[in-house]
mmCIF file with all atom_site columns, all heavy atoms in Angstrom:
data_model
loop_
_atom_site.group_PDB
_atom_site.id
_atom_site.type_symbol
_atom_site.label_atom_id
_atom_site.label_alt_id
_atom_site.label_comp_id
_atom_site.label_asym_id
_atom_site.label_entity_id
_atom_site.label_seq_id
_atom_site.pdbx_PDB_ins_code
_atom_site.Cartn_x
_atom_site.Cartn_y
_atom_site.Cartn_z
_atom_site.occupancy
_atom_site.B_iso_or_equiv
_atom_site.pdbx_formal_charge
_atom_site.auth_seq_id
_atom_site.auth_comp_id
_atom_site.auth_asym_id
_atom_site.auth_atom_id
_atom_site.pdbx_PDB_model_num
ATOM 1   N N   . GLU N 1 75  ? -10.191 8.015  -3.611  1.00 98.00 ? 75  GLU N N   1
ATOM 2   C CA  . GLU N 1 75  ? -9.946  9.465  -3.605  1.00 98.00 ? 75  GLU N CA  1
ATOM 3   C C   . GLU N 1 75  ? -8.462  9.732  -3.380  1.00 98.00 ? 75  GLU N C   1
ATOM 4   O O   . GLU N 1 75  ? -7.863  10.599 -4.012  1.00 98.00 ? 75  GLU N O   1
ATOM 5   C CB  . GLU N 1 75  ? -10.822 10.126 -2.526  1.00 98.00 ? 75  GLU N CB  1
ATOM 6   C CG  . GLU N 1 75  ? -12.312 10.018 -2.885  1.00 98.00 ? 75  GLU N CG  1
ATOM 7   C CD  . GLU N 1 75  ? -13.261 10.402 -1.748  1.00 98.00 ? 75  GLU N CD  1
ATOM 8   O OE1 . GLU N 1 75  ? -12.805 11.050 -0.783  1.00 98.00 ? 75  GLU N OE1 1
ATOM 9   O OE2 . GLU N 1 75  ? -14.453 10.054 -1.832  1.00 98.00 ? 75  GLU N OE2 1
ATOM 10  N N   . ALA N 1 78  ? -6.405  8.464  -6.541  1.00 99.00 ? 78  ALA N N   1
ATOM 11  C CA  . ALA N 1 78  ? -6.683  9.355  -7.675  1.00 99.00 ? 78  ALA N CA  1
ATOM 12  C C   . ALA N 1 78  ? -5.928  10.668 -7.508  1.00 99.00 ? 78  ALA N C   1
ATOM 13  O O   . ALA N 1 78  ? -5.286  11.157 -8.449  1.00 99.00 ? 78  ALA N O   1
ATOM 14  C CB  . ALA N 1 78  ? -8.187  9.615  -7.787  1.00 99.00 ? 78  ALA N CB  1
ATOM 15  N N   . LYS N 1 79  ? -5.964  11.242 -6.310  1.00 98.00 ? 79  LYS N N   1
ATOM 16  C CA  . LYS N 1 79  ? -5.270  12.516 -6.072  1.00 98.00 ? 79  LYS N CA  1
ATOM 17  C C   . LYS N 1 79  ? -3.768  12.365 -6.289  1.00 98.00 ? 79  LYS N C   1
ATOM 18  O O   . LYS N 1 79  ? -3.109  13.261 -6.814  1.00 98.00 ? 79  LYS N O   1
ATOM 19  C CB  . LYS N 1 79  ? -5.558  13.031 -4.664  1.00 98.00 ? 79  LYS N CB  1
ATOM 20  C CG  . LYS N 1 79  ? -6.919  13.714 -4.590  1.00 98.00 ? 79  LYS N CG  1
ATOM 21  C CD  . LYS N 1 79  ? -7.190  14.299 -3.212  1.00 98.00 ? 79  LYS N CD  1
ATOM 22  C CE  . LYS N 1 79  ? -8.626  14.836 -3.163  1.00 98.00 ? 79  LYS N CE  1
ATOM 23  N NZ  . LYS N 1 79  ? -9.273  14.612 -1.873  1.00 98.00 ? 79  LYS N NZ  1
ATOM 24  N N   . ARG N 1 80  ? -3.218  11.231 -5.879  1.00 98.00 ? 80  ARG N N   1
ATOM 25  C CA  . ARG N 1 80  ? -1.772  11.010 -6.064  1.00 98.00 ? 80  ARG N CA  1
ATOM 26  C C   . ARG N 1 80  ? -1.435  10.890 -7.553  1.00 98.00 ? 80  ARG N C   1
ATOM 27  O O   . ARG N 1 80  ? -0.441  11.435 -8.013  1.00 98.00 ? 80  ARG N O   1
ATOM 28  C CB  . ARG N 1 80  ? -1.323  9.743  -5.329  1.00 98.00 ? 80  ARG N CB  1
ATOM 29  C CG  . ARG N 1 80  ? -1.410  9.859  -3.837  1.00 98.00 ? 80  ARG N CG  1
ATOM 30  C CD  . ARG N 1 80  ? -0.806  8.656  -3.152  1.00 98.00 ? 80  ARG N CD  1
ATOM 31  N NE  . ARG N 1 80  ? 0.637   8.810  -2.984  1.00 98.00 ? 80  ARG N NE  1
ATOM 32  C CZ  . ARG N 1 80  ? 1.415   7.912  -2.370  1.00 98.00 ? 80  ARG N CZ  1
ATOM 33  N NH1 . ARG N 1 80  ? 0.892   6.789  -1.913  1.00 98.00 ? 80  ARG N NH1 1
ATOM 34  N NH2 . ARG N 1 80  ? 2.691   8.133  -2.236  1.00 98.00 ? 80  ARG N NH2 1
ATOM 35  N N   . LEU N 1 81  ? -2.264  10.138 -8.290  1.00 98.00 ? 81  LEU N N   1
ATOM 36  C CA  . LEU N 1 81  ? -2.003  9.980  -9.729  1.00 98.00 ? 81  LEU N CA  1
ATOM 37  C C   . LEU N 1 81  ? -2.127  11.332 -10.435 1.00 98.00 ? 81  LEU N C   1
ATOM 38  O O   . LEU N 1 81  ? -1.324  11.664 -11.313 1.00 98.00 ? 81  LEU N O   1
ATOM 39  C CB  . LEU N 1 81  ? -2.977  8.965  -10.344 1.00 98.00 ? 81  LEU N CB  1
ATOM 40  C CG  . LEU N 1 81  ? -2.732  7.504  -9.966  1.00 98.00 ? 81  LEU N CG  1
ATOM 41  C CD1 . LEU N 1 81  ? -3.879  6.615  -10.425 1.00 98.00 ? 81  LEU N CD1 1
ATOM 42  C CD2 . LEU N 1 81  ? -1.403  7.001  -10.558 1.00 98.00 ? 81  LEU N CD2 1
ATOM 43  N N   . ILE N 1 82  ? -3.123  12.104 -10.032 1.00 98.00 ? 82  ILE N N   1
ATOM 44  C CA  . ILE N 1 82  ? -3.335  13.421 -10.637 1.00 98.00 ? 82  ILE N CA  1
ATOM 45  C C   . ILE N 1 82  ? -2.140  14.340 -10.346 1.00 98.00 ? 82  ILE N C   1
ATOM 46  O O   . ILE N 1 82  ? -1.643  15.036 -11.233 1.00 98.00 ? 82  ILE N O   1
ATOM 47  C CB  . ILE N 1 82  ? -4.659  14.040 -10.113 1.00 98.00 ? 82  ILE N CB  1
ATOM 48  C CG1 . ILE N 1 82  ? -5.849  13.290 -10.711 1.00 98.00 ? 82  ILE N CG1 1
ATOM 49  C CG2 . ILE N 1 82  ? -4.743  15.532 -10.410 1.00 98.00 ? 82  ILE N CG2 1
ATOM 50  C CD1 . ILE N 1 82  ? -7.167  13.539 -9.989  1.00 98.00 ? 82  ILE N CD1 1
ATOM 51  N N   . ALA N 1 83  ? -1.658  14.299 -9.108  1.00 98.00 ? 83  ALA N N   1
ATOM 52  C CA  . ALA N 1 83  ? -0.542  15.169 -8.710  1.00 98.00 ? 83  ALA N CA  1
ATOM 53  C C   . ALA N 1 83  ? 0.724   14.846 -9.505  1.00 98.00 ? 83  ALA N C   1
ATOM 54  O O   . ALA N 1 83  ? 1.594   15.695 -9.661  1.00 98.00 ? 83  ALA N O   1
ATOM 55  C CB  . ALA N 1 83  ? -0.280  15.015 -7.214  1.00 98.00 ? 83  ALA N CB  1
ATOM 56  N N   . HIS N 1 84  ? 0.817   13.619 -10.020 1.00 98.00 ? 84  HIS N N   1
ATOM 57  C CA  . HIS N 1 84  ? 2.037   13.210 -10.728 1.00 98.00 ? 84  HIS N CA  1
ATOM 58  C C   . HIS N 1 84  ? 1.804   12.914 -12.201 1.00 98.00 ? 84  HIS N C   1
ATOM 59  O O   . HIS N 1 84  ? 2.589   12.195 -12.819 1.00 98.00 ? 84  HIS N O   1
ATOM 60  C CB  . HIS N 1 84  ? 2.663   11.988 -10.033 1.00 98.00 ? 84  HIS N CB  1
ATOM 61  C CG  . HIS N 1 84  ? 3.217   12.331 -8.684  1.00 98.00 ? 84  HIS N CG  1
ATOM 62  N ND1 . HIS N 1 84  ? 2.472   12.229 -7.525  1.00 98.00 ? 84  HIS N ND1 1
ATOM 63  C CD2 . HIS N 1 84  ? 4.419   12.820 -8.321  1.00 98.00 ? 84  HIS N CD2 1
ATOM 64  C CE1 . HIS N 1 84  ? 3.214   12.635 -6.500  1.00 98.00 ? 84  HIS N CE1 1
ATOM 65  N NE2 . HIS N 1 84  ? 4.389   12.990 -6.954  1.00 98.00 ? 84  HIS N NE2 1
ATOM 66  N N   . SER N 1 85  ? 0.718   13.452 -12.768 1.00 98.00 ? 85  SER N N   1
ATOM 67  C CA  . SER N 1 85  ? 0.458   13.214 -14.194 1.00 98.00 ? 85  SER N CA  1
ATOM 68  C C   . SER N 1 85  ? -0.298  14.394 -14.791 1.00 98.00 ? 85  SER N C   1
ATOM 69  O O   . SER N 1 85  ? -0.584  15.369 -14.117 1.00 98.00 ? 85  SER N O   1
ATOM 70  C CB  . SER N 1 85  ? -0.362  11.933 -14.383 1.00 98.00 ? 85  SER N CB  1
ATOM 71  O OG  . SER N 1 85  ? -1.719  12.164 -14.035 1.00 98.00 ? 85  SER N OG  1
ATOM 72  N N   . PHE N 1 86  ? -0.668  14.226 -16.064 1.00 98.00 ? 86  PHE N N   1
ATOM 73  C CA  . PHE N 1 86  ? -1.436  15.232 -16.808 1.00 98.00 ? 86  PHE N CA  1
ATOM 74  C C   . PHE N 1 86  ? -2.896  15.246 -16.370 1.00 98.00 ? 86  PHE N C   1
ATOM 75  O O   . PHE N 1 86  ? -3.641  16.158 -16.723 1.00 98.00 ? 86  PHE N O   1
ATOM 76  C CB  . PHE N 1 86  ? -1.397  14.883 -18.303 1.00 98.00 ? 86  PHE N CB  1
ATOM 77  C CG  . PHE N 1 86  ? -2.206  13.637 -18.597 1.00 98.00 ? 86  PHE N CG  1
ATOM 78  C CD1 . PHE N 1 86  ? -3.523  13.733 -19.032 1.00 98.00 ? 86  PHE N CD1 1
ATOM 79  C CD2 . PHE N 1 86  ? -1.667  12.376 -18.382 1.00 98.00 ? 86  PHE N CD2 1
ATOM 80  C CE1 . PHE N 1 86  ? -4.289  12.585 -19.252 1.00 98.00 ? 86  PHE N CE1 1
ATOM 81  C CE2 . PHE N 1 86  ? -2.425  11.229 -18.603 1.00 98.00 ? 86  PHE N CE2 1
ATOM 82  C CZ  . PHE N 1 86  ? -3.727  11.336 -19.035 1.00 98.00 ? 86  PHE N CZ  1
ATOM 83  N N   . ALA N 1 87  ? -3.331  14.208 -15.641 1.00 98.00 ? 87  ALA N N   1
ATOM 84  C CA  . ALA N 1 87  ? -4.764  13.960 -15.481 1.00 98.00 ? 87  ALA N CA  1
ATOM 85  C C   . ALA N 1 87  ? -5.431  14.888 -14.461 1.00 98.00 ? 87  ALA N C   1
ATOM 86  O O   . ALA N 1 87  ? -4.795  15.396 -13.538 1.00 98.00 ? 87  ALA N O   1
ATOM 87  C CB  . ALA N 1 87  ? -4.990  12.506 -15.082 1.00 98.00 ? 87  ALA N CB  1
ATOM 88  N N   . ASP N 1 88  ? -6.746  15.075 -14.655 1.00 98.00 ? 88  ASP N N   1
ATOM 89  C CA  . ASP N 1 88  ? -7.565  15.808 -13.682 1.00 98.00 ? 88  ASP N CA  1
ATOM 90  C C   . ASP N 1 88  ? -8.522  14.872 -12.963 1.00 98.00 ? 88  ASP N C   1
ATOM 91  O O   . ASP N 1 88  ? -9.118  15.244 -11.951 1.00 98.00 ? 88  ASP N O   1
ATOM 92  C CB  . ASP N 1 88  ? -8.426  16.880 -14.390 1.00 98.00 ? 88  ASP N CB  1
ATOM 93  C CG  . ASP N 1 88  ? -7.573  17.881 -15.155 1.00 98.00 ? 88  ASP N CG  1
ATOM 94  O OD1 . ASP N 1 88  ? -6.581  18.371 -14.582 1.00 98.00 ? 88  ASP N OD1 1
ATOM 95  O OD2 . ASP N 1 88  ? -7.893  18.150 -16.329 1.00 98.00 ? 88  ASP N OD2 1
ATOM 96  N N   . THR N 1 89  ? -8.694  13.664 -13.533 1.00 99.00 ? 89  THR N N   1
ATOM 97  C CA  . THR N 1 89  ? -9.701  12.757 -12.982 1.00 99.00 ? 89  THR N CA  1
ATOM 98  C C   . THR N 1 89  ? -9.349  11.316 -13.351 1.00 99.00 ? 89  THR N C   1
ATOM 99  O O   . THR N 1 89  ? -8.705  11.077 -14.376 1.00 99.00 ? 89  THR N O   1
ATOM 100 C CB  . THR N 1 89  ? -11.112 13.173 -13.496 1.00 99.00 ? 89  THR N CB  1
ATOM 101 O OG1 . THR N 1 89  ? -12.104 12.393 -12.850 1.00 99.00 ? 89  THR N OG1 1
ATOM 102 C CG2 . THR N 1 89  ? -11.240 13.034 -14.997 1.00 99.00 ? 89  THR N CG2 1
ATOM 103 N N   . VAL N 1 90  ? -9.738  10.372 -12.486 1.00 99.00 ? 90  VAL N N   1
ATOM 104 C CA  . VAL N 1 90  ? -9.349  8.973  -12.653 1.00 99.00 ? 90  VAL N CA  1
ATOM 105 C C   . VAL N 1 90  ? -10.555 8.061  -12.439 1.00 99.00 ? 90  VAL N C   1
ATOM 106 O O   . VAL N 1 90  ? -11.339 8.264  -11.505 1.00 99.00 ? 90  VAL N O   1
ATOM 107 C CB  . VAL N 1 90  ? -8.251  8.576  -11.620 1.00 99.00 ? 90  VAL N CB  1
ATOM 108 C CG1 . VAL N 1 90  ? -7.807  7.126  -11.831 1.00 99.00 ? 90  VAL N CG1 1
ATOM 109 C CG2 . VAL N 1 90  ? -7.051  9.518  -11.693 1.00 99.00 ? 90  VAL N CG2 1
ATOM 110 N N   . PHE N 1 91  ? -10.702 7.053  -13.305 1.00 98.00 ? 91  PHE N N   1
ATOM 111 C CA  . PHE N 1 91  ? -11.703 5.992  -13.113 1.00 98.00 ? 91  PHE N CA  1
ATOM 112 C C   . PHE N 1 91  ? -10.958 4.700  -12.824 1.00 98.00 ? 91  PHE N C   1
ATOM 113 O O   . PHE N 1 91  ? -10.034 4.340  -13.548 1.00 98.00 ? 91  PHE N O   1
ATOM 114 C CB  . PHE N 1 91  ? -12.560 5.823  -14.373 1.00 98.00 ? 91  PHE N CB  1
ATOM 115 C CG  . PHE N 1 91  ? -13.552 4.684  -14.282 1.00 98.00 ? 91  PHE N CG  1
ATOM 116 C CD1 . PHE N 1 91  ? -14.826 4.908  -13.773 1.00 98.00 ? 91  PHE N CD1 1
ATOM 117 C CD2 . PHE N 1 91  ? -13.208 3.405  -14.691 1.00 98.00 ? 91  PHE N CD2 1
ATOM 118 C CE1 . PHE N 1 91  ? -15.739 3.858  -13.667 1.00 98.00 ? 91  PHE N CE1 1
ATOM 119 C CE2 . PHE N 1 91  ? -14.117 2.343  -14.587 1.00 98.00 ? 91  PHE N CE2 1
ATOM 120 C CZ  . PHE N 1 91  ? -15.390 2.581  -14.076 1.00 98.00 ? 91  PHE N CZ  1
ATOM 121 N N   . VAL N 1 235 ? 1.627   15.413 -23.371 1.00 98.00 ? 235 VAL N N   1
ATOM 122 C CA  . VAL N 1 235 ? 0.613   14.727 -22.570 1.00 98.00 ? 235 VAL N CA  1
ATOM 123 C C   . VAL N 1 235 ? -0.524  14.251 -23.465 1.00 98.00 ? 235 VAL N C   1
ATOM 124 O O   . VAL N 1 235 ? -0.829  14.887 -24.482 1.00 98.00 ? 235 VAL N O   1
ATOM 125 C CB  . VAL N 1 235 ? 0.035   15.651 -21.471 1.00 98.00 ? 235 VAL N CB  1
ATOM 126 C CG1 . VAL N 1 235 ? 1.106   16.019 -20.460 1.00 98.00 ? 235 VAL N CG1 1
ATOM 127 C CG2 . VAL N 1 235 ? -0.609  16.883 -22.070 1.00 98.00 ? 235 VAL N CG2 1
ATOM 128 N N   . PRO N 1 236 ? -1.143  13.136 -23.103 1.00 98.00 ? 236 PRO N N   1
ATOM 129 C CA  . PRO N 1 236 ? -2.344  12.705 -23.826 1.00 98.00 ? 236 PRO N CA  1
ATOM 130 C C   . PRO N 1 236 ? -3.566  13.411 -23.239 1.00 98.00 ? 236 PRO N C   1
ATOM 131 O O   . PRO N 1 236 ? -3.464  14.157 -22.259 1.00 98.00 ? 236 PRO N O   1
ATOM 132 C CB  . PRO N 1 236 ? -2.391  11.211 -23.526 1.00 98.00 ? 236 PRO N CB  1
ATOM 133 C CG  . PRO N 1 236 ? -1.835  11.106 -22.137 1.00 98.00 ? 236 PRO N CG  1
ATOM 134 C CD  . PRO N 1 236 ? -0.775  12.183 -22.037 1.00 98.00 ? 236 PRO N CD  1
ATOM 135 N N   . ASP N 1 237 ? -4.735  13.147 -23.824 1.00 99.00 ? 237 ASP N N   1
ATOM 136 C CA  . ASP N 1 237 ? -5.993  13.617 -23.237 1.00 99.00 ? 237 ASP N CA  1
ATOM 137 C C   . ASP N 1 237 ? -6.576  12.555 -22.326 1.00 99.00 ? 237 ASP N C   1
ATOM 138 O O   . ASP N 1 237 ? -7.299  12.869 -21.385 1.00 99.00 ? 237 ASP N O   1
ATOM 139 C CB  . ASP N 1 237 ? -7.000  13.931 -24.350 1.00 99.00 ? 237 ASP N CB  1
ATOM 140 C CG  . ASP N 1 237 ? -6.468  14.983 -25.308 1.00 99.00 ? 237 ASP N CG  1
ATOM 141 O OD1 . ASP N 1 237 ? -6.262  16.128 -24.844 1.00 99.00 ? 237 ASP N OD1 1
ATOM 142 O OD2 . ASP N 1 237 ? -6.228  14.663 -26.484 1.00 99.00 ? 237 ASP N OD2 1
ATOM 143 N N   . VAL N 1 238 ? -6.235  11.325 -22.653 1.00 99.00 ? 238 VAL N N   1
ATOM 144 C CA  . VAL N 1 238 ? -6.769  10.195 -21.881 1.00 99.00 ? 238 VAL N CA  1
ATOM 145 C C   . VAL N 1 238 ? -5.778  9.040  -21.988 1.00 99.00 ? 238 VAL N C   1
ATOM 146 O O   . VAL N 1 238 ? -5.049  8.922  -22.976 1.00 99.00 ? 238 VAL N O   1
ATOM 147 C CB  . VAL N 1 238 ? -8.182  9.802  -22.386 1.00 99.00 ? 238 VAL N CB  1
ATOM 148 C CG1 . VAL N 1 238 ? -8.158  9.436  -23.863 1.00 99.00 ? 238 VAL N CG1 1
ATOM 149 C CG2 . VAL N 1 238 ? -8.773  8.662  -21.563 1.00 99.00 ? 238 VAL N CG2 1
ATOM 150 N N   . MET N 1 239 ? -5.742  8.212  -20.959 1.00 98.00 ? 239 MET N N   1
ATOM 151 C CA  . MET N 1 239 ? -4.766  7.124  -20.935 1.00 98.00 ? 239 MET N CA  1
ATOM 152 C C   . MET N 1 239 ? -5.322  5.978  -20.090 1.00 98.00 ? 239 MET N C   1
ATOM 153 O O   . MET N 1 239 ? -6.004  6.207  -19.095 1.00 98.00 ? 239 MET N O   1
ATOM 154 C CB  . MET N 1 239 ? -3.492  7.685  -20.283 1.00 98.00 ? 239 MET N CB  1
ATOM 155 C CG  . MET N 1 239 ? -2.405  6.690  -19.991 1.00 98.00 ? 239 MET N CG  1
ATOM 156 S SD  . MET N 1 239 ? -1.022  7.556  -19.195 1.00 98.00 ? 239 MET N SD  1
ATOM 157 C CE  . MET N 1 239 ? -1.438  7.288  -17.483 1.00 98.00 ? 239 MET N CE  1
ATOM 158 N N   . ILE N 1 254 ? -8.293  4.559  -15.705 1.00 99.00 ? 254 ILE N N   1
ATOM 159 C CA  . ILE N 1 254 ? -8.376  5.491  -16.824 1.00 99.00 ? 254 ILE N CA  1
ATOM 160 C C   . ILE N 1 254 ? -8.051  6.863  -16.262 1.00 99.00 ? 254 ILE N C   1
ATOM 161 O O   . ILE N 1 254 ? -8.688  7.304  -15.302 1.00 99.00 ? 254 ILE N O   1
ATOM 162 C CB  . ILE N 1 254 ? -9.796  5.556  -17.423 1.00 99.00 ? 254 ILE N CB  1
ATOM 163 C CG1 . ILE N 1 254 ? -10.281 4.167  -17.825 1.00 99.00 ? 254 ILE N CG1 1
ATOM 164 C CG2 . ILE N 1 254 ? -9.840  6.519  -18.601 1.00 99.00 ? 254 ILE N CG2 1
ATOM 165 C CD1 . ILE N 1 254 ? -11.776 4.151  -18.155 1.00 99.00 ? 254 ILE N CD1 1
ATOM 166 N N   . LEU N 1 255 ? -7.048  7.513  -16.829 1.00 99.00 ? 255 LEU N N   1
ATOM 167 C CA  . LEU N 1 255 ? -6.690  8.864  -16.412 1.00 99.00 ? 255 LEU N CA  1
ATOM 168 C C   . LEU N 1 255 ? -7.087  9.820  -17.535 1.00 99.00 ? 255 LEU N C   1
ATOM 169 O O   . LEU N 1 255 ? -6.803  9.525  -18.709 1.00 99.00 ? 255 LEU N O   1
ATOM 170 C CB  . LEU N 1 255 ? -5.183  8.983  -16.146 1.00 99.00 ? 255 LEU N CB  1
ATOM 171 C CG  . LEU N 1 255 ? -4.660  8.428  -14.811 1.00 99.00 ? 255 LEU N CG  1
ATOM 172 C CD1 . LEU N 1 255 ? -4.661  6.911  -14.812 1.00 99.00 ? 255 LEU N CD1 1
ATOM 173 C CD2 . LEU N 1 255 ? -3.259  8.938  -14.530 1.00 99.00 ? 255 LEU N CD2 1
ATOM 174 N N   . ALA N 1 256 ? -7.712  10.932 -17.200 1.00 99.00 ? 256 ALA N N   1
ATOM 175 C CA  . ALA N 1 256 ? -8.166  11.848 -18.251 1.00 99.00 ? 256 ALA N CA  1
ATOM 176 C C   . ALA N 1 256 ? -8.105  13.288 -17.785 1.00 99.00 ? 256 ALA N C   1
ATOM 177 O O   . ALA N 1 256 ? -8.130  13.573 -16.579 1.00 99.00 ? 256 ALA N O   1
ATOM 178 C CB  . ALA N 1 256 ? -9.603  11.505 -18.671 1.00 99.00 ? 256 ALA N CB  1
ATOM 179 N N   . THR N 1 257 ? -8.050  14.177 -18.771 1.00 98.00 ? 257 THR N N   1
ATOM 180 C CA  . THR N 1 257 ? -8.181  15.596 -18.444 1.00 98.00 ? 257 THR N CA  1
ATOM 181 C C   . THR N 1 257 ? -9.662  15.891 -18.207 1.00 98.00 ? 257 THR N C   1
ATOM 182 O O   . THR N 1 257 ? -10.541 15.118 -18.630 1.00 98.00 ? 257 THR N O   1
ATOM 183 C CB  . THR N 1 257 ? -7.699  16.486 -19.604 1.00 98.00 ? 257 THR N CB  1
ATOM 184 O OG1 . THR N 1 257 ? -8.526  16.210 -20.746 1.00 98.00 ? 257 THR N OG1 1
ATOM 185 C CG2 . THR N 1 257 ? -6.235  16.221 -19.950 1.00 98.00 ? 257 THR N CG2 1
ATOM 186 N N   . GLU N 1 258 ? -9.908  17.014 -17.557 1.00 98.00 ? 258 GLU N N   1
ATOM 187 C CA  . GLU N 1 258 ? -11.298 17.422 -17.303 1.00 98.00 ? 258 GLU N CA  1
ATOM 188 C C   . GLU N 1 258 ? -12.037 17.593 -18.625 1.00 98.00 ? 258 GLU N C   1
ATOM 189 O O   . GLU N 1 258 ? -13.188 17.166 -18.770 1.00 98.00 ? 258 GLU N O   1
ATOM 190 C CB  . GLU N 1 258 ? -11.308 18.732 -16.510 1.00 98.00 ? 258 GLU N CB  1
ATOM 191 C CG  . GLU N 1 258 ? -12.701 19.201 -16.171 1.00 98.00 ? 258 GLU N CG  1
ATOM 192 C CD  . GLU N 1 258 ? -12.711 20.321 -15.128 1.00 98.00 ? 258 GLU N CD  1
ATOM 193 O OE1 . GLU N 1 258 ? -11.626 20.894 -14.857 1.00 98.00 ? 258 GLU N OE1 1
ATOM 194 O OE2 . GLU N 1 258 ? -13.798 20.613 -14.605 1.00 98.00 ? 258 GLU N OE2 1
ATOM 195 N N   . LYS N 1 259 ? -11.346 18.194 -19.595 1.00 98.00 ? 259 LYS N N   1
ATOM 196 C CA  . LYS N 1 259 ? -11.963 18.433 -20.909 1.00 98.00 ? 259 LYS N CA  1
ATOM 197 C C   . LYS N 1 259 ? -12.378 17.122 -21.565 1.00 98.00 ? 259 LYS N C   1
ATOM 198 O O   . LYS N 1 259 ? -13.510 16.971 -22.040 1.00 98.00 ? 259 LYS N O   1
ATOM 199 C CB  . LYS N 1 259 ? -10.953 19.181 -21.794 1.00 98.00 ? 259 LYS N CB  1
ATOM 200 C CG  . LYS N 1 259 ? -11.428 19.448 -23.191 1.00 98.00 ? 259 LYS N CG  1
ATOM 201 C CD  . LYS N 1 259 ? -10.336 20.062 -24.081 1.00 98.00 ? 259 LYS N CD  1
ATOM 202 C CE  . LYS N 1 259 ? -10.789 20.026 -25.530 1.00 98.00 ? 259 LYS N CE  1
ATOM 203 N NZ  . LYS N 1 259 ? -9.729  19.863 -26.490 1.00 98.00 ? 259 LYS N NZ  1
ATOM 204 N N   . ALA N 1 260 ? -11.467 16.144 -21.587 1.00 98.00 ? 260 ALA N N   1
ATOM 205 C CA  . ALA N 1 260 ? -11.754 14.877 -22.276 1.00 98.00 ? 260 ALA N CA  1
ATOM 206 C C   . ALA N 1 260 ? -12.862 14.102 -21.582 1.00 98.00 ? 260 ALA N C   1
ATOM 207 O O   . ALA N 1 260 ? -13.621 13.376 -22.223 1.00 98.00 ? 260 ALA N O   1
ATOM 208 C CB  . ALA N 1 260 ? -10.488 14.033 -22.354 1.00 98.00 ? 260 ALA N CB  1
ATOM 209 N N   . ALA N 1 261 ? -12.957 14.257 -20.258 1.00 98.00 ? 261 ALA N N   1
ATOM 210 C CA  . ALA N 1 261 ? -13.927 13.461 -19.482 1.00 98.00 ? 261 ALA N CA  1
ATOM 211 C C   . ALA N 1 261 ? -15.286 14.150 -19.356 1.00 98.00 ? 261 ALA N C   1
ATOM 212 O O   . ALA N 1 261 ? -16.120 13.722 -18.548 1.00 98.00 ? 261 ALA N O   1
ATOM 213 C CB  . ALA N 1 261 ? -13.357 13.172 -18.097 1.00 98.00 ? 261 ALA N CB  1
ATOM 214 N N   . VAL N 1 262 ? -15.523 15.175 -20.189 1.00 98.00 ? 262 VAL N N   1
ATOM 215 C CA  . VAL N 1 262 ? -16.727 15.996 -20.033 1.00 98.00 ? 262 VAL N CA  1
ATOM 216 C C   . VAL N 1 262 ? -18.020 15.166 -20.095 1.00 98.00 ? 262 VAL N C   1
ATOM 217 O O   . VAL N 1 262 ? -19.014 15.485 -19.442 1.00 98.00 ? 262 VAL N O   1
ATOM 218 C CB  . VAL N 1 262 ? -16.749 17.152 -21.075 1.00 98.00 ? 262 VAL N CB  1
ATOM 219 C CG1 . VAL N 1 262 ? -16.786 16.602 -22.503 1.00 98.00 ? 262 VAL N CG1 1
ATOM 220 C CG2 . VAL N 1 262 ? -17.920 18.085 -20.845 1.00 98.00 ? 262 VAL N CG2 1
#
Side-chain angles (χ1 to χ4, degrees):
E75 293 169 17
K79 280 183 186 143
R80 293 187 86 178
L81 288 170
I82 289 164
H84 292 91
S85 76
F86 70 96
D88 301 313
T89 186
V90 182
F91 176 89
V235 295
D237 301 296
V238 58
M239 172 181 94
I254 305 168
L255 282 73
T257 61
E258 182 167 13
K259 178 186 168 212
V262 62

